[in-house]
Amino acid sequence: MNALTFDRDVWTAAGETLLGDAIALRRAIHAEPELGLDLPKTTAKVKAALAGLPLEIREGPSTSGLVAILRGPANGRTVLLRGDMDALPLVEDTGLAFTSLNQGAMHACGHDTHVAMLAGAARALCERRDRLAGTVMFMFQPGEEGWHGARFMLDDGLIDPLPDAAFALHISPNMPAGVFASRAGPLMASSDKLRIRVIGAGGHASMPQDALDPVPVACEIVTALQTMLTRRVSVFDPAVITIAHIEAGTTDNIIPEDARLWGTLRTLSERTRATAQDGIRRVAENIAAAHGARAEVEIDRGFPVTVCDGRVVDLAERAAKALFGEDGWMTMPHPMMGAEDFSYLLQKVPGAMAFLGAAPEGGDWRTCCALHSNRMVLREEVMARGIAMHCAMAEAALSGDLEL
């Protein structure tokens, strides 16, 4: 394994030096979480953190996201580093001194730390601009939690021309603190929303023969969907269907006219995604028809599969081990079935996402509250490593350590 061009001590020291600022920014963002594509307070905090730096700022009409561009002295490659900014619709129950002041919104997925690490990396790389053999794009993105923020920023032309490579970090409380992890190929799943309406005919509960009860039909569809997956989808290219919400009726003695099902479909390839979507429609519509009912199926396509380029993953592994030793990296044995809209970038650009372990001090990373929990807490000190990793990845990719 060839030595990387960056100086380990420079970036680890920068991470430690900037940790205090990163913690302060993270806490400020955490206390005022915002949802969706328009995050005016968060964007203002990002701009304040970047003020005075030699950056070109790009903004677009569709979101409050921004891309900050740092041009090194050499006109070489371009590498993009990304941090997402939006929160989740949760009521926080952590007891933190900087707990959410916005009722019904919480940074329960670590995006506050992603922003803080990326802003720290921007400052560190600006201070050492003369080291850069190309351009770094810092992508501060809203709307990751189901709002397709990355796609909107691409459509707005904020990342035009496309970079040569892209890299993102995602914090995780369910990994040992300070360890980076990723894998080549599928890292996270696609995610589609399912809505199925089973239409029958209402009536009196004492006379079901005079009605067409949609409830048992809906229940049969739920069970049949799971059977369809086991018989139509390979276990080596899996899919997960979860029907998470069922709604029908108004009281105990009335057969309702319809029943509604809501759920999600997650897959690790476009081929399985298409197979499963076709199977969902076929199963729902034909089971309903077999009972004399009808089924209306809506599938809202969500994020694509997050696929990491093996060359960028290899660079990330080498960088993590160079910075923090052999124990600084873990290759993930299998993908996660969560979804991530960084996938839109990875469809167009060689790149990778890596997780950064942030298990809280005194907690067991195997059992502590996970991402999207309203009790989720993190070890903030690992952000120093995240800053260093961003900087090392940028310098190494621009210096030719990444073979493209």
Side-chain angles (χ1 to χ4, degrees):
M1 185 175 292
N2 296 329
L4 297 174
T5 55
F6 64 78
D7 186 329
R8 169 192 180 277
D9 293 337
V10 166
W11 297 131
T12 55
E16 293 295 338
T17 299
L18 292 165
L19 177 60
D21 290 341
I23 289 175
L25 177 58
R26 182 254 169 158
R27 292 183 178 186
I29 293 171
H30 189 97
E32 294 188 294
E34 297 174 293
L35 308 178
L37 296 169
D38 186 23
L39 318 177
K41 292 182 179 179
T42 307
T43 301
K45 291 180 178 69
V46 169
K47 288 181 177 179
L50 302 180
L53 299 179
L55 296 167
E56 170 192 330
I57 303 296
R58 292 181 181 176
E59 298 177 88
S62 301
T63 80
S64 63
L66 63 90
V67 175
I69 301 174
L70 173 63
R71 303 188 188 278
N75 185 22
R77 288 178 173 176
T78 298
V79 63
L80 180 144
L81 305 175
R82 179 270 212 163
D84 39 3
M85 303 195 295
D86 56 324
L88 284 160
L90 287 173
V91 177
E92 182 166 355
D93 188 19
T94 61
L96 295 170
F98 49 94
T99 193
S100 171
L101 300 175
N102 298 340
Q103 186 72 5
M106 174 192 172
H107 272 289
C109 200
H111 296 186
D112 49 353
T113 66
H114 302 171
V115 175
M117 291 188 293
L118 189 59
R123 182 163 294 278
L125 286 164
C126 284
E127 290 174 355
R128 296 160 182 82
R129 181 182 178 188
D130 60 327
R131 301 171 62 97
L132 301 179
T135 298
V136 184
M137 305 176 79
F138 304 94
M139 180 183 180
F140 293 91
Q141 180 217 308
E144 191 282 325
E145 296 292 353
W147 295 83
H148 305 271
R151 190 187 71 199
F152 280 109
M153 291 183 73
L154 281 163
D155 291 346
D156 284 347
L158 300 186
I159 312 168
D160 183 20
L162 292 169
D164 297 288
F167 182 68
L169 287 175
H170 200 302
I171 211 86
S172 173
N174 299 115
M175 283 175 45
V179 175
F180 295 89
S182 189
R183 69 189 304 274
L187 176 72
M188 301 183 76
S190 64
S191 179
D192 301 321
K193 294 181 179 180
L194 312 178
R195 296 181 180 87
I196 303 173
R197 181 187 178 210
V198 181
I199 305 165
H204 200 290
S206 67
M207 295 175 283
Q209 72 279 2
D210 295 329
L212 203 173
D213 192 346
V215 174
V217 180
C219 293
E220 187 175 332
I221 289 171
V222 173
T223 303
L225 289 176
Q226 306 306 322
T227 302
M228 180 272 293
L229 278 190
T230 67
R231 293 298 176 264
R232 298 297 300 167
V233 173
S234 169
V235 297
F236 301 107
D237 188 6
V240 174
I241 293 176
T242 297
I243 301 300
H245 182 78
I246 303 177
E247 184 177 292
T250 56
T251 188
D252 59 0
N253 64 346
I254 299 175
I255 292 173
E257 178 178 310
D258 64 2
R260 297 171 186 266
L261 311 175
W262 286 265
T264 60
L265 165 67
R266 298 172 186 270
T267 71
L268 294 174
S269 75
E270 287 299 322
R271 178 179 178 179
T272 291
R273 191 182 194 182
T275 298
Q277 286 183 0
D278 179 68
I280 290 165
R281 295 184 187 279
R282 187 173 61 252
V283 165
E285 291 170 357
N286 286 288
I287 286 178
H291 291 278
R294 290 189 297 117
E296 297 175 348
V297 180
E298 296 181 16
I299 301 176
D300 294 340
R301 288 178 66 88
F303 301 159
V305 182
T306 302
V307 181
C308 295
D309 188 290
R311 296 166 296 180
V312 184
V313 173
D314 176 69
L315 181 63
E317 178 179 358
R318 295 165 61 199
K321 290 180 177 179
L323 289 168
F324 307 113
E326 290 295 315
D327 293 338
W329 178 265
M330 178 179 68
T331 297
M332 296 168 61
H334 53 74
M336 296 175 62
M337 296 307 284
E340 166 59 62
D341 83 343
F342 190 56
S343 54
Y344 288 116
L345 268 293
L346 298 186
Q347 285 185 324
K348 300 176 178 294
V349 174
M353 170 174 279
F355 292 95
L356 171 56
E361 191 169 359
D364 185 342
W365 62 268
R366 300 172 184 83
T367 58
C368 63
C369 292
L371 297 172
H372 289 220
S373 165
N374 66 335
R375 298 177 184 269
M376 190 272 294
V377 293
L378 300 166
R379 190 178 306 190
E380 293 175 313
E381 290 76 14
V382 303
M383 290 194 291
R385 290 195 169 198
I387 293 169
M389 184 68 164
H390 271 313
C391 294
M393 285 294 292
E395 184 180 3
L398 295 179
S399 299
D401 293 324
L402 176 63
E403 295 184 5
L404 295 173

